Amino acid sequence: MRITTLHLSRKSVYLLVLAAALVGAGGYSYVQQGQAIDNAVTVQATVDSAQVERLDAGRGIDYEPEIEYTYDY
């Protein structure tokens, strides 16, 4: 049986710890999002009015949407 020695630099260790932390945070976020979907409620929304206002900005044209709605949940 042969033993292989692994030499890691300080930078490699920091990168491994950072990668593990990111994977852990991603897993936590995935579980949290799954729970939010499981606990979701239906929302019935009705658009009462919708319009887009044109704004002449200094460097061009901007558009600002305006939507009024009512909802029940």
Side-chain angles (χ1 to χ4, degrees):
M1 185 166 145
R2 213 170 154 185
I3 297 176
T4 303
T5 304
L6 180 64
H7 297 284
L8 295 175
S9 68
R10 184 174 288 196
K11 183 178 178 181
S12 296
V13 171
Y14 289 148
L15 289 174
L16 285 172
V17 169
L18 177 64
L22 289 174
V23 168
Y28 174 76
S29 178
Y30 177 79
V31 169
Q32 193 174 29
Q33 289 175 13
Q35 289 173 347
I37 289 172
D38 292 339
N39 297 329
V41 296
T42 302
V43 175
Q44 181 66 39
T46 303
V47 176
D48 298 325
S49 70
Q51 62 185 8
V52 177
E53 185 177 342
R54 179 180 167 161
L55 304 172
D56 292 321
R59 296 178 127 185
I61 300 171
D62 273 340
Y63 296 94
E64 183 176 307
E66 294 179 7
I67 301 171
E68 293 182 14
Y69 59 92
T70 55
Y71 64 93
D72 296 315
Y73 65 96

